[in-house]
Amino acid sequence: MNSQVHYLPLTPGLFSILAVLLAGLVILIQLRVLSYAYMRLGVGPGVAMLLLFGSLIGSYFNIPITVLPGPPVRSAQIVEFFGMRYVVPLVASWPGTVLAVNVGGAVIPTLMSTYLVIRYQLWFKAALATAAIALVIHSMATPVPGIGIAVPVFAPVVATAILAFILSREYAAPLAYIGGSMGTLIGADLLNLDKISGLGAPVASIGGAGTFDGIFLTGILAVLLAGIASPLRPRPAW
């Protein structure tokens, strides 16, 4: 079973689009066209590329937590939601819905968000941004049979950037990343855990299929949008 919980959350075509987008960002970072955005986030271009590559590649890996009872699981299907096509993995002799944590969509964003909160001492503002985005995402989140919880991809991006800029111009970029990634995780996945067992999903991955694309794109695009309006690199609290 452990080998079957690891799978691409998107179809190869959509995953390739994200990979091409990432390659384009890497080229722009190397050309220093986008260096300002990640300097405002508080990391260098090398760390930014490692963060992006880690998130994309880590989307393949899920860490199982427990097994939820429920109806017979679906297998080897493609489910479409808001124009995005998600993969239901091929499984055999499955005990129920495996609740897991996605490395690229949950573990890495959580570690990065924690680092940014501590580095810039954004405890209150980060909590406020996360709570506000979580409410917005929760209102949009939709249970999708075979997949779990899915959210529209681009809707939260502008709202995240604007909210972060309103809360703090100097720290708009870190707040955009924290609010966009953590707000999506909490609003879409954690607040809907009670709905997962009845969807027949073989793997319900926190930060995985249904939310990974939103977390990946919201984190990147919100930082870029916020970075345009923020001043020079924010000063660390330590």
Side-chain angles (χ1 to χ4, degrees), residues 41 109 112-117 122 126-127 129-130 160 173-184 223:
L41 185 57
M112 183 61 183
S113 295
T114 302
Y115 163 76
L116 292 175
V117 169
L122 297 172
T130 299
T160 300
L175 286 172
Y177 184 90
I178 297 167
S181 56
M182 293 297 96
T184 301
V223 167

Side-chain angles (χ1 to χ4, degrees), residues 6-84:
H6 306 307
Y7 64 98
L8 290 179
L10 305 173
T11 59
L14 290 176
F15 189 82
S16 298
I17 292 175
L18 292 184
V20 170
L21 175 62
L22 175 56
L25 286 174
V26 169
I27 293 174
L28 293 177
I29 290 173
Q30 289 297 323
L31 295 176
R32 299 188 180 278
V33 175
L34 292 181
S35 295
Y36 70 95
Y38 292 99
M39 292 293 284
R40 285 164 175 74
L41 185 57
V43 299
V47 176
M49 286 189 290
L50 182 62
L51 175 67
L52 296 178
F53 274 117
S55 295
L56 191 62
I57 296 173
S59 67
Y60 178 81
F61 299 98
N62 293 296
I63 303 173
I65 300 176
T66 186
V67 177
L68 304 175
V73 299
R74 300 188 176 198
S75 177
Q77 298 181 17
I78 302 296
V79 177
E80 186 168 340
F81 177 78
F82 267 91
M84 301 296 290

Side-chain angles (χ1 to χ4, degrees), residues 52-140:
L52 296 178
F53 274 117
S55 295
L56 191 62
I57 296 173
S59 67
Y60 178 81
F61 299 98
N62 293 296
I63 303 173
I65 300 176
T66 186
V67 177
L68 304 175
V73 299
R74 300 188 176 198
S75 177
Q77 298 181 17
I78 302 296
V79 177
E80 186 168 340
F81 177 78
F82 267 91
M84 301 296 290
R85 304 183 74 193
Y86 301 102
V87 175
V88 180
L90 174 65
V91 296
S93 302
W94 213 245
T97 297
V98 175
L99 182 63
V101 176
N102 188 266
V103 174
V107 176
I108 292 177
T110 299
L111 292 176
M112 183 61 183
S113 295
T114 302
Y115 163 76
L116 292 175
V117 169
I118 296 175
R119 177 178 175 84
Y120 297 117
Q121 294 295 294
L122 297 172
W123 302 100
F124 176 74
K125 291 180 179 179
L128 187 59
T130 299
I133 298 303
L135 290 175
V136 173
I137 296 298
H138 186 65
S139 67
M140 301 178 179

